[in-house]
Amino acid sequence: MAEEAVLGFLEKNEEISDSGQFAADRGIDHQELTNIIKRLSGFRFVDAQDIKRERWVLTEEGKTYAAAGSPEMQVFNAIPPPGISLEELQRKLDPSVFKIGCSQAKKNQWVEMGKQLVTRKVDNVEDKVKDLLNRVQDGEAIDPKELDALKRRKLIAPQTWKGYSIRKGPNYAPKRKIFATDLTRDNLLRGDWKDLEFKEYNFSAKGQPIEGGHLHPLLKAGLCEAEIVVRQQFKMIFLQMGFEEMPTNNFVESSFWNFDALFQPQQHPARDSHDTFFLQVPSTTKTLPEDYVERVKGVHESGGYGSRGYGYEWKREEANKNLLRTHTTAVSSRMLYLLGQQKNFTPKKYFSIDRVFRNEAVDRTHLAEFHQIEGLVCDRGLSLGDLIGVLNNFFLRLGMSKLKFKPAYNPYTEPSMEIFSYHEGLKKWVEIGNSGMFRPEMLRPMGLPEDVRVIAWGLSLERYGK
């Protein structure tokens, strides 16, 4: 209807000078007419020029006063001829109306605000504010000073009206022909495809933007090459901080080094076949340091070094089971044991970056195999403060300057802390790793001196790139 009205009018007239007036005269919604004009302009049926007009409209508060009267008028009307107490007047009116109305009525010298009574100073008043608001609403011309007074009271606000003036375009026709955009099965069955005129294909038009994510750093240049690049970045940070790389070439470990040496109980859920890959061939290990095994057994069963232990019967057959290592901390336990065998203790800083294996359901955030990054410092008299300081130094070199720590539980560290970094892009704190101080129940059976402490932390190489 709107399109026919526009094209039909231009067939006999040179111009539609004002789309707003054109819509009002014909009972057409102006927004609908605007959409039609834009479409006809796109097909060059019409040439359209923008029209902009500034006008004043009532705010929500202004609309209220245009209907119910200004606050000062409401206050005046609420005062009976004998007068009224301030408390009673306040009860009769809305709090905002009372506050504004009293101020304006007093300013207009309509009322006398006495200590005991509020009384009228005049018999009759005219609500000019309501009258002005209704005139603004009707689109009448208002004196600039009066408009300014309404604006200061935030009863009116400026609004820009947008419309068009329209003339015939180079492709004008009294009726727009609809071009087909698709050839359908029905067209073929009816045979009317021969008479169809199809819309020209625009080879320059841009397609819909692809809502894709970003490649993981490990996939940008091919898995192997990118993995080397990211691992090398971490390796250089560790080396710059004076760390020594641990040998991580044995993916197969015994349960003893992977769990028992770390003071992880044999009934722990992580040692279940649903969480760990156990080997069938060879199913068990052949050699373990027997004296050390006995000390580990003792601390598990009866405790020691300030611990009560777990109070269960420790089984050697569980410790002998071979598995795919679930963390590189199994390597750390071997290295710390070797340090404990030295006659003269030497402080060490170790790190490792290599594969670990978990029997987990594969989804978008979990694989059965991933790379763990681990660092540890073994020295005399270390404290939780040293751990926090080393972590701040380490992550600062990765560009993470805002860190905070949350208490956590790990079987072989106490105290333990989860590490969070503030992500400027996501505007939130994101967990980036885990850390803690190795327990005495783990370190003392290894033969390390009583004043030696070990601080350690770990994170995932894949998770770093998310």
Side-chain angles (χ1 to χ4, degrees):
M1 176 182 171
E3 183 175 312
E4 293 172 359
V6 171
L7 295 177
F9 185 87
L10 290 177
E11 186 178 9
K12 300 177 182 178
N13 301 274
E14 290 293 323
E15 181 185 34
I16 296 174
S17 59
D18 188 320
S19 61
Q21 189 62 47
F22 184 85
D25 291 344
R26 287 158 180 78
I28 301 171
D29 180 71
H30 187 254
Q31 184 59 51
E32 179 188 353
L33 181 64
T34 298
N35 294 335
I36 292 296
I37 293 170
K38 290 178 180 178
R39 184 187 305 159
L40 292 175
S41 179
F43 289 113
R44 300 303 309 277
F45 272 67
V46 300
D47 288 331
Q49 296 293 325
D50 292 345
I51 298 175
K52 292 184 179 180
R53 285 198 294 268
E54 294 288 339
R55 65 174 183 173
W56 292 97
V57 295
L58 304 189
T59 63
E60 290 302 316
E61 186 179 3
K63 292 177 183 177
T64 302
Y65 299 158
S70 66
E72 51 266 40
M73 193 67 191
Q74 294 184 53
V75 166
F76 185 85
N77 289 334
I79 301 172
I84 189 173
S85 68
L86 191 63
E87 293 77 10
E88 188 177 351
L89 178 63
Q90 190 172 3
R91 284 196 297 269
K92 292 177 68 174
L93 297 169
D94 182 88
S96 62
V97 170
F98 173 80
K99 181 179 180 181
I100 298 171
C102 286
S103 175
Q104 291 294 329
K106 185 178 178 181
K107 181 180 177 182
N108 294 343
Q109 295 188 355
W110 291 358
V111 300
E112 181 72 37
M113 306 293 291
K115 292 183 178 180
Q116 301 297 327
L117 287 178
V118 180
T119 57
R120 295 181 178 182
K121 294 181 69 175
V122 292
D123 293 331
N124 296 295
V125 294
E126 182 184 352
D127 194 352
K128 290 184 178 180
V129 171
K130 179 180 179 180
D131 179 59
L132 287 172
L133 290 173
N134 284 313
R135 289 173 61 190
V136 170
Q137 205 164 29
D138 294 338
E140 297 181 23
I142 307 294
D143 183 88
K145 290 183 179 180
E146 293 175 327
L147 282 175
D148 188 59
L150 294 176
K151 185 174 72 170
R152 286 200 305 271
R153 291 183 65 172
K154 297 181 180 179
L155 302 181
I156 60 173
Q159 184 184 72
T160 302
W161 179 89
K162 296 181 181 179
Y164 296 95
S165 64
I166 313 153
R167 287 180 174 270
K168 293 177 182 177
N171 297 335
Y172 171 79
K175 188 174 182 180
R176 182 170 65 92
K177 189 170 185 179
I178 307 299
F179 292 93
T181 56
D182 293 301
L183 181 63
T184 67
R185 177 176 179 272
D186 290 338
N187 296 142
L188 296 173
L189 290 175
R190 290 193 302 262
D192 60 5
W193 60 272
K194 299 176 183 178
D195 302 319
L196 291 177
E197 289 189 45
F198 288 92
K199 181 181 177 182
E200 292 184 6
Y201 195 88
N202 183 3
F203 290 95
S204 301
K206 293 182 179 180
Q208 289 290 333
I210 299 173
E211 295 183 358
H214 298 279
L215 286 175
H216 192 283
L218 298 183
L219 299 176
K220 283 184 178 178
L223 180 60
C224 293
E225 180 183 342
E227 178 188 321
I228 293 171
V229 171
V230 179
R231 287 182 62 169
Q232 188 65 21
Q233 179 185 4
F234 277 98
K235 183 175 181 178
M236 290 306 299
I237 290 173
F238 277 115
L239 294 176
Q240 290 165 6
M241 294 176 67
F243 283 72
E244 175 184 340
E245 188 167 12
M246 295 185 282
T248 56
N249 55 340
N250 51 323
F251 292 164
V252 175
E253 271 291 4
S254 66
S255 293
F256 177 79
W257 291 110
N258 196 87
F259 294 125
D260 295 275
L262 299 176
F263 195 59
Q264 191 155 330
Q266 293 187 334
Q267 65 269 29
H268 194 279
R271 302 179 71 149
D272 189 87
S273 60
H274 294 296
D275 293 284
T276 301
F277 290 109
F278 288 95
L279 270 65
Q280 291 184 347
V281 180
S283 60
T284 58
T285 187
K286 294 182 179 180
T287 56
L288 290 173
E290 295 300 329
D291 56 339
Y292 177 45
V293 169
E294 286 300 315
R295 291 196 295 273
V296 169
K297 175 184 177 182
V299 79
H300 273 251
E301 292 182 340
S302 307
Y305 320 106
S307 170
R308 294 182 299 175
Y310 292 115
Y312 68 96
E313 183 183 351
W314 187 86
K315 297 179 180 179
R316 177 63 180 267
E317 55 267 28
E318 286 293 328
N320 287 344
K321 290 180 180 179
N322 283 333
L323 49 79
L324 293 179
R325 67 183 180 208
T326 63
H327 47 195
T328 52
T329 316
V331 181
S332 302
S333 65
R334 286 179 175 272
M335 298 301 293
L336 291 171
Y337 170 73
L338 293 176
L339 275 180
Q341 307 315 299
Q342 296 178 358
K343 290 184 178 179
N344 297 313
F345 170 75
T346 304
K348 287 287 185 179
K349 295 180 180 180
Y350 287 130
F351 80 93
S352 64
I353 308 171
D354 213 334
R355 285 187 236 178
V356 296
F357 309 87
R358 304 277 176 88
N359 190 6
E360 294 184 344
V362 176
D363 58 30
R364 66 185 181 88
T365 59
H366 294 85
L367 290 175
E369 169 186 333
F370 61 93
H371 292 75
Q372 182 178 337
I373 301 164
E374 182 159 338
L376 67 88
V377 179
C378 181
D379 202 349
R380 298 181 186 275
L382 292 175
S383 67
L384 192 65
D386 295 298
L387 174 59
I388 293 173
V390 172
L391 290 175
N392 275 290
N393 187 2
F394 176 78
F395 284 104
L396 183 62
R397 294 168 187 260
L398 285 169
M400 303 178 191
S401 57
K402 296 180 181 179
L403 296 184
K404 70 178 183 179
F405 307 95
K406 176 183 175 183
Y409 168 76
N410 296 315
Y412 45 89
T413 59
E414 178 61 36
S416 308
M417 302 185 302
E418 291 173 347
I419 311 162
F420 291 81
S421 175
Y422 188 75
H423 195 296
E424 296 292 348
L426 299 176
K427 302 299 181 185
K428 67 177 184 179
W429 291 92
V430 178
E431 184 181 353
I432 56 174
N434 207 333
S435 65
M437 300 185 67
F438 284 144
R439 299 178 69 101
E441 296 97 321
M442 170 187 164
L443 300 179
R444 299 291 86 82
M446 292 176 171
L448 291 166
E450 289 189 9
D451 60 344
V452 169
R453 306 283 186 269
V454 178
I455 57 176
W457 69 99
L459 60 151
S460 166
L461 181 65
E462 287 82 357
R463 187 171 294 178
Y464 159 75
K466 288 182 181 176

